[in-house]
Amino acid sequence: HPAGGVKEQTAGLYAGKLAAEGFVAIAFDASRQGESGGEPRQLENPHARVEDISAAIDYLTTLPYVDRGRIGAMGICAGGAYTVTAALADRRIKAVGTVSAANYGAILRHGWEGRDDLAGAFALLENAAQARTGEANGANTGYYPIVPQRPEEAPNADLAEAVEYYRTPRAQCSTSPSIAPTRSLMQLVTFDAFHLVDLFLTQPIQIVAGENAGTRWLSEDLFRRAA
């Protein structure tokens, strides 16, 4: 599922469509998110998100009706990028699918539309460091919004559409506040979901991206690296 999302939203929608086509499909909440356990809540640690995918595959291999040699993985938005990372090391993944794959670290380093913004990235790292220091000394966990609360707060059309999806009855879910602890930025800013794709992504991959999406450049970057 996307950053800030849960299984009842887009991930579950895709899983249902796949199941209707005859696939065994599982949609799950990342650790510390949705109905999964762990603290601090909503932590968006990319390394944990990648491990969660392999943990889901662990579970699938225990089901007698699952063919272990035909397991695929797909993800949406940030979940799509995490799925690519998981496939590099987990050879049980035989096929990969991404929908609007969002390499979260690249967005934080270069902005939503791929323009260099390293000064902003360093500022995010400073904020994360201050947040961790504060929490270590008794402060409450600080959070930042993954999806804005209102359309007028959205800096671009993509996030305005995200508000319409995640913040309205269309897909609003009590377990999906679409926020993350500020400390998450310490791992996210320096994370490259597509690192070593040119060497280790040997599985077939289907990349889906919106023609006019602001994040299309990330899918194109994945395509170039995987070619």
Side-chain angles (χ1 to χ4, degrees), residues 119-180:
F122 278 107
L124 294 175
L125 289 173
E126 289 290 343
N127 289 342
Q130 293 173 17
R132 289 194 66 147
T133 296
E135 290 164 26
N137 287 274
N140 292 329
T141 301
Y143 289 85
Y144 71 93
I146 295 176
V147 174
Q149 291 290 336
R150 294 177 292 276
E152 56 269 24
E153 297 173 357
N156 53 59
D158 288 358
L159 285 173
E161 291 181 358
V163 173
E164 192 276 330
Y165 185 78
Y166 290 104
R167 303 294 192 192
T168 70
R170 179 182 173 191
Q172 197 166 34
C173 187
S174 61
T175 59
S176 172
S178 288
I179 58 176

Side-chain angles (χ1 to χ4, degrees), residues 77 100 102 104 106-115 117 146-147 155-160 162 212-218:
C77 199
S100 298
Y104 207 151
I107 290 173
L108 295 175
R109 291 188 296 273
H110 304 299
W112 192 263
E113 296 181 349
R115 302 183 180 89
D117 189 27
I146 295 176
V147 174
N156 53 59
D158 288 358
L159 285 173
N212 298 314
T215 57
R216 177 176 169 172
W217 65 277
L218 294 160

Side-chain angles (χ1 to χ4, degrees), residues 19-192:
E21 295 296 325
F23 291 89
V24 175
I26 179 171
F28 61 93
D29 290 329
S31 53
R32 299 178 177 85
Q33 300 180 27
E35 294 183 305
S36 292
E39 298 287 342
R41 299 306 300 165
Q42 315 310 136
L43 187 69
E44 188 68 22
N45 184 320
H47 308 288
R49 288 290 306 266
V50 171
E51 174 59 23
D52 288 340
I53 295 167
S54 287
I57 295 173
D58 291 343
Y59 173 69
L60 286 173
T61 66
T62 70
L63 303 177
Y65 49 85
V66 169
D67 184 341
R68 297 180 183 179
R70 300 179 66 193
I71 293 175
M74 70 161 291
I76 305 97
C77 199
Y82 295 142
T83 299
V84 170
T85 306
L88 301 182
D90 197 328
R91 309 313 296 177
R92 297 172 300 176
I93 299 174
K94 304 303 183 184
V96 181
T98 68
V99 178
S100 298
N103 187 348
Y104 207 151
I107 290 173
L108 295 175
R109 291 188 296 273
H110 304 299
W112 192 263
E113 296 181 349
R115 302 183 180 89
D116 288 336
D117 189 27
L118 282 182
F122 278 107
L124 294 175
L125 289 173
E126 289 290 343
N127 289 342
Q130 293 173 17
R132 289 194 66 147
T133 296
E135 290 164 26
N137 287 274
N140 292 329
T141 301
Y143 289 85
Y144 71 93
I146 295 176
V147 174
Q149 291 290 336
R150 294 177 292 276
E152 56 269 24
E153 297 173 357
N156 53 59
D158 288 358
L159 285 173
E161 291 181 358
V163 173
E164 192 276 330
Y165 185 78
Y166 290 104
R167 303 294 192 192
T168 70
R170 179 182 173 191
Q172 197 166 34
C173 187
S174 61
T175 59
S176 172
S178 288
I179 58 176
T182 305
R183 65 184 295 157
S184 300
L185 295 167
M186 190 172 289
Q187 287 78 40
L188 288 167
V189 168
T190 56
F191 181 72
D192 180 5

